[in-house]
Structures are given as structure tokens and as C-alpha cells.
Amino acid sequence: MKEMDELKRKVLELLKEDARSSAALMATLLGAEEEDVKTAIEQMEKDHVIVKYATVVNWDKVSDERVTALIEVQITPERGRGFEGIAERIYLYPQVKSVYLMSGAYDLLVEVEGRNLREVANFVSEKLSPIDSVLSTKTNFTLKKYKQDGIIFEEHEEDNRLLISP
Amino acid sequence: MITNNQKQTGESGKSMNSYLAPLVQQIQPSGIRKFFDLAAGSKDIISLGVGEPDFKTPWHVREACVYSLERGFTGYTSNAGMPELREGIANYLHSRFAVTYNPADQIIATVGGSEAIDLALRALISPGDEILIPEPCYISYSPITAIGGGIPVGIETFGENNFKLTAADLEAKITPRSKILILCYPSNPTGAIMTREDWEPIAKVVEKHDLIVISDEIYAELTYGSNHVSFPSLPGMMDRTILVSGFSKAFAMTGWRMGYACGHPDLISAMLKIHQYTVMCAPSMGQVAALEALTNGMEEKDRMTDSYNQRRRLIVKGLREAGLDCHEPQGAFYAFPSVQRTGLTSDQFAQRLLMEYKVAAVPGSVFGLGGEGYLRCSYATSVAQLNEAIERIGAFVQQLERERTE
């Protein structure tokens, strides 16, 4: 069981590096059986440990207009449900890309994506702010993304080493 | 203006080579140099020829150095190196490899492990001394022995024995002039390691013949499956061993040129004399970085070692599937497959692989006795590049197969 847990952890690390890694390649890298790797992945997919295989995209390089805003939201928690109900109301909107419950000066950090500033502004004024429990919002537009999920967007991974060395 | 012709002959028409020390004139350029020149002219090459990590120096190490520069830490340090660094090295060696050195008089911080080896040889060699060197090995041992006035004596090790040194092979090469044995395990280029059981009979021979050992343990952190056994940790070997190591491989710090030597105070004191009159001290910024690596770098080091281990499995499997015999390297980051079945020499194989299939690797022949017939393939490169290189090597081996049957 412990071995399986260890294998799962290592498989996750490899998948985080490259979600397209095949079970055969991962088995070779980890010195494991291919079947065991496949089983580990199936279990983790079933248990929702692996939620989805996604691609990190630098949208700035695609001629596709879109803006992102990080919105700080202060809310009054609901009796019995705390922040859960409000969070759900907010994250169900398709414009909302992520929602985090935060400690500190505000309660929820909401990432919203739209085609332009007006679309995001409309979402905040027409959808988010009118929710009863929402006390205030503060909208921060993203000007440029430098790094996301540990990946630096502008870094060109060049191998500067000599081709042959002692 | 000096013309090319004048450069070669001097204004007097005399060849400038005639001024060179005969010892230096006799030294041949490294066989690696030739491949370096060949590869430099080609494009789109996948290189398995690089003897250094493909990781950048961990950020916290770089940052510690930058911060020290901002604070103006740019002066000389004591000749032997910053006391804190020597203390750090002593603690590290004690905890990792169970060898105990006094930082006050048994450790010098050097300009890379290379300087440490040079210092040790220069401190010990009298003209005509024989220096025993198990081969295939790192390309520098033999030339710097010769430059120091010693006579390098190669001891061949064999693929069938996973390139381990045996007591019998060592003893067979010992003469009354034998003085020093240079060891390098885990081995560049073979990836061989030595276990405690392998070492014990060697230590007996060393004692019996009163040899001094220079143990280059630069790859000590890169072992897979078993822990490194440091030569001075063997009974009776502490005083007669100069342990040499550095930060290049374990902490991905090749360009920093930070190394160290540890040994008996008398030996270290002699080496320190040469060190202080040649380089004064190791670069202060490198020393700061090295101390940071030792203090806070173990987690990153483990992560890098794990990654090499994964790629080791990939390349060994890949080379075997490509049709080359390959023993399983247990240390460093090199695979050393045999190319003998192809009918080509290692030099021919490496040249054609480079020119026709754009994969750079180093022919085993440049590493001395026992290296002919093998190829050094560094796996410190990305999985994608390794996969592509393996595919190309496979295609090349198949082509050679076709050529042989036609």
C-alpha cells in the first residue's frame, strides 16, 4: 500500500511536468511495471486526485482578445453554511475561472475572464455585486502574466552548455 | 603588426615551441578536444557529450551569492577558505560519509576539484614517481601527473567486471617506484561504483605497499541504489588519503569552480603552500555560494539526483533496445555502452554518429586503457532529447548492421 502511494506521488510529479507522458515512459523512468503505473493513474482519476489534464497556455501569444481580473470580494458568511453557499453561487458562473477562500483583508479571491474590460466590468456590476451577502468588491485587472502554475512564460529554456565537455 | 608567420616562428625566425617545457610539449591535446571542434561546426545536434548537470545552480544558491556581492563581500578570504565554509564541509562530510576532518587544518577550499587534484599531485610527486590510475578514467589525471613530473601508470578495468578496480589488477602494476593511487568512484566515464566489500582488499594493498591515495569523490552524491562509500572511511585509510571533491556535480555548480581537499594536516599544509602562491584563495563569491549549497541545498540536490536516476533507467533501456550492450551504471550520470559488436572503433562510431545522425557522444578511447570499444553517453539532458538520441542511435546501429550484411 505504501509502495502504491509512493508510486502515485511520483506519477503525479511526472504528470505535472508533462501531462502527455505515456504510462510506458513513466514506468521506465520510475523503474516500475507499466501495469502498476496504469492502475495508479486509473485509481487517481477515479478518486478525483487527478481532476483534469489541462494545458498551460500563454494567451498573449494568441491573437484572441481576452482580459483577466482578480476580484477581491468581501462577504457576510451565511448561518450554518459559512462561505460555501456564496462560493458556489459565484463559481458556477462560466466567466469565473477560479475561486479561493482567503485569510486577510477580504474573503474570496475570484478570477474572472472576459473578452474585454466591459464584459468583466458588467459581470462584476450585474452579477457579483448584487449578491446579497457580497459587501464589497475590488477589481484588479491583470496586465501581463509572467508565471503561472510554476511555469515562466517568457523563459526560453536554452541549453547553453558546450556540446562536448570533460 | 605581428603576422601569422611571425607568431609561429617569432621575430628571430625561431619556433616559439622550442621555448616550451619539454614536459608540456609531450602532452597530447585531449581526445575530447577533437570532438568538441567537430561538434562546434554542426547544427541541430543532440548532445550526450556533456559532463555537467543540465540543471541551473539552484536559485537560493545564486541568490545568496548575489546578495553577498550587494553587501560588498568581494575581498580575499583566508588562503584555505572561509572558516564557515570549511566548517560546513567538515559537517557535511561527517554526516553524509562518516569521515571526520578538522576544519582548522585538514580542509582547503580550492578552485574546483581539478585544482585540488593538481595540488595533491604537485605536493607529493618527486620526479620519476609512478602514479597508479585505474582506467578508463577522467581525462586529466594522466596529463597532470606527467606535468608534475610523475609517471602515469594505467590499470585497466573491464566491462565484464562493471569497471571495478580489483586488488589483483592493482597489485600487478605496483613497482618500488609506485607512490600514489588516484581513485575516482563513482566513475567518470563508466558510472561504476565501489562497495565496501570491493574497497576492503584494495585498502589492504594500499597499506601493504605504503601508497598515498588521492580519492576523487566528486560524484559521491550521485549514486543509485546504494550509498557512496568514501575511501578514507575504511580502516587505516584516513591518514593516507587525500579526499577531493567539489560542488559542480551534486549542486549543479560547474562554472563556479568550487572544490575542496581534505586530508592529514601535513599533506594539507603542503598543498596550501602551493595554493597560496598560485591562486591565493578560491573566489570569495563562489565560497559564499558553496556554503549556501551545503547549508540549504540538500532538498534540491535530492530532487536532481532523483531526476538523474529516472533518466539513467531510460537511457540504459533505450541503448539496449537500440542494440548496444550496456552495463548498468550505479553512479555519476554517464552510460558507457559497448559499440564493439558494430565492428567500428569507438572513435569511428562516435564520429559517424555525430556527422550522420547528429548525436554527440564521447568515444571511450579518450579515457585511457579499457575505454576502446565503448561510448560515453551523458544522460544529464532532457527526457525528450534522450528519447530522440536513443532513436537516432538505434537507426545508426541498424544502418551499420545493413552495411555489414551487404
Side-chain angles (χ1 to χ4, degrees):
Chain A
M1 192 62 201
K2 205 174 165 194
E3 276 172 24
M4 194 56 170
D5 286 347
E6 182 63 12
L7 179 65
K8 283 179 180 173
R9 193 183 59 75
K10 288 184 169 169
V11 165
L12 286 177
E13 278 169 13
L14 290 177
L15 286 174
K16 275 294 284 176
E17 279 295 309
D18 182 1
R20 295 181 303 173
S21 293
S22 68
L25 174 64
M26 287 191 278
T28 303
L29 292 172
L30 300 174
E33 294 297 323
E34 192 177 334
E35 276 311 305
D36 290 344
V37 172
K38 282 183 178 162
T39 306
I41 292 173
E42 280 164 15
Q43 277 181 15
M44 289 191 288
E45 286 173 347
K46 195 166 143 240
D47 297 343
H48 234 231
V49 173
I50 296 174
V51 182
K52 189 177 182 177
Y53 298 93
T55 306
V56 177
V57 179
N58 184 357
W59 287 107
D60 290 351
K61 296 212 165 180
V62 183
S63 55
D64 189 10
E65 284 298 312
R66 64 180 68 206
V67 293
T68 308
L70 293 169
I71 304 166
E72 301 166 11
V73 186
Q74 280 189 312
I75 54 183
T76 312
E78 293 173 309
R79 183 179 294 275
R81 292 191 74 191
F83 296 101
E84 302 298 310
I86 308 295
E88 186 181 322
R89 264 202 78 180
I90 294 173
Y91 69 59
L92 286 174
Y93 284 107
Q95 298 93 322
V96 173
K97 298 300 162 193
S98 53
V99 177
Y100 307 101
L101 180 62
M102 309 294 288
S103 67
Y106 55 93
D107 304 303
L108 295 180
L109 182 65
V110 179
E111 186 183 7
V112 174
E113 198 174 85
R115 273 173 297 186
N116 48 47
L117 291 178
R118 178 166 298 282
E119 203 172 278
V120 174
N122 285 348
F123 172 78
V124 174
S125 61
E126 291 170 15
K127 306 289 183 193
L128 195 55
S129 295
I131 296 173
D132 281 348
S133 312
V134 170
L135 298 174
S136 72
T137 63
K138 185 172 162 191
T139 303
N140 308 280
F141 283 102
T142 306
L143 301 181
K144 184 173 179 180
K145 261 187 199 172
Y146 294 101
K147 187 175 182 181
Q148 184 185 327
D149 295 339
I151 298 159
I152 298 171
F153 279 7
E154 293 300 323
E155 189 174 64
H156 301 291
E157 278 292 337
E158 274 178 29
D159 191 347
N160 296 321
R161 296 175 300 166
L162 304 172
L163 288 170
I164 306 271
S165 76
Chain B
M1 195 176 83
I2 299 174
T3 64
N4 226 14
N5 194 36
Q6 281 170 323
K7 269 188 198 165
Q8 283 168 7
T9 61
E11 285 166 354
S12 62
K14 191 175 169 185
S15 163
M16 297 311 282
N17 279 334
S18 63
Y19 291 98
L20 295 175
L23 273 174
V24 176
Q25 285 194 55
Q26 284 162 18
I27 302 289
Q28 295 301 311
S30 146
I32 285 184
R33 184 78 226 169
K34 175 176 136 191
F35 276 82
F36 178 79
D37 293 340
L38 278 174
S42 312
K43 282 190 177 142
D44 306 323
I45 288 172
I46 296 179
S47 180
L48 306 181
V50 195
E52 65 181 312
D54 60 332
F55 295 102
K56 299 254 191 319
T57 304
W59 170 245
H60 67 97
V61 174
R62 289 185 268 160
E63 203 273 338
C65 175
V66 169
Y67 184 50
S68 80
L69 292 176
E70 283 176 358
R71 283 178 299 149
F73 187 74
T74 57
Y76 291 127
T77 69
S78 77
N79 292 129
M82 289 157 51
E84 307 90 300
L85 174 61
R86 283 182 277 146
E87 184 96 34
I89 292 168
N91 292 339
Y92 162 78
L93 290 173
H94 182 75
S95 66
R96 289 289 297 148
F97 306 118
V99 285
T100 306
Y101 293 101
N102 181 353
D105 59 2
Q106 289 194 279
I107 298 176
I108 316 179
T110 57
V111 182
S114 306
E115 192 216 347
I117 294 162
D118 186 42
L119 291 178
L121 287 170
R122 287 206 276 163
L124 289 166
I125 290 175
S126 299
D129 283 345
E130 288 180 351
I131 316 304
L132 300 153
I133 308 171
E135 294 178 345
C137 71
Y138 176 52
I139 55 165
S140 294
Y141 299 143
S142 185
I144 51 173
T145 294
I147 290 169
I151 300 167
V153 177
I155 307 169
E156 186 167 353
T157 61
F158 302 93
E160 306 85 88
N161 190 28
N162 288 326
F163 296 100
K164 287 172 188 278
L165 175 65
T166 68
D169 290 338
L170 168 61
E171 195 147 27
K173 293 286 182 145
I174 291 176
T175 73
R177 293 160 78 182
S178 303
K179 183 167 184 182
I180 301 168
L181 169 64
I182 302 182
L183 298 170
C184 177
Y185 292 96
S187 160
N188 170 12
T190 67
I193 63 157
M194 296 282 277
T195 64
R196 190 164 292 277
E197 292 69 40
D198 296 326
W199 276 140
E200 276 163 1
I202 304 287
K204 286 199 178 104
V205 175
V206 164
E207 196 150 37
K208 180 176 160 194
H209 295 278
D210 197 21
L211 299 176
I212 288 283
V213 173
I214 298 172
S215 186
D216 181 351
E217 303 187 13
I218 189 85
Y219 291 98
E221 287 289 357
L222 308 185
T223 58
Y224 314 105
S226 62
N227 287 332
H228 171 69
V229 181
S230 183
F231 192 76
S233 72
L234 296 157
M237 292 300 108
M238 189 70 181
D239 279 353
R240 59 173 70 247
T241 303
I242 297 172
L243 168 63
V244 167
S245 192
F247 297 83
S248 295
K249 314 296 180 179
F251 299 99
M253 292 175 66
T254 49
W256 299 81
R257 309 313 304 127
M258 278 304 306
Y260 52 89
C262 311
H264 189 281
D266 293 348
L267 300 177
I268 292 299
S269 163
M271 289 165 65
L272 188 58
K273 279 195 263 184
I274 307 167
H275 175 75
Q276 73 188 18
Y277 290 129
T278 48
V279 301
M280 192 76 78
C281 65
S284 52
M285 53 287 281
Q287 293 189 48
V288 170
L291 179 58
E292 171 64 21
L294 283 181
T295 314
N296 299 310
M298 291 302 152
E299 207 174 302
E300 277 283 277
K301 183 219 70 184
D302 287 344
R303 189 181 65 78
M304 293 189 277
T305 310
D306 270 358
S307 174
Y308 296 134
N309 194 12
Q310 291 179 2
R311 291 179 277 171
R312 177 183 70 109
R313 296 186 186 110
L314 179 67
I315 196 168
V316 171
K317 181 168 180 268
L319 288 170
R320 286 174 181 168
E321 284 172 2
L324 298 178
D325 295 326
C326 185
H327 81 111
E328 189 163 324
Q330 299 291 324
F333 39 54
Y334 309 105
F336 204 58
S338 166
V339 297
Q340 288 159 30
R341 63 191 297 181
T342 65
L344 299 184
T345 65
S346 62
D347 203 74
Q348 289 166 336
F349 188 95
Q351 273 208 50
R352 286 192 58 187
L353 181 65
L354 176 59
M355 304 315 282
E356 297 170 31
Y357 285 82
K358 307 277 185 195
V359 176
V362 184
S365 55
V366 309
F367 300 103
L369 294 175
E372 177 47 44
Y374 294 88
L375 194 67
R376 191 190 76 172
C377 302
S378 162
Y379 49 85
T381 194
S382 71
V383 167
Q385 294 264 297
L386 281 177
N387 273 327
E388 176 64 30
I390 288 163
E391 207 162 285
R392 292 186 194 183
I393 291 171
F396 179 46
V397 172
Q398 277 177 14
Q399 183 191 317
L400 291 173
E401 210 46 50
R402 283 195 300 276
E403 286 174 14
R404 274 151 60 96
T405 51
E406 272 166 13

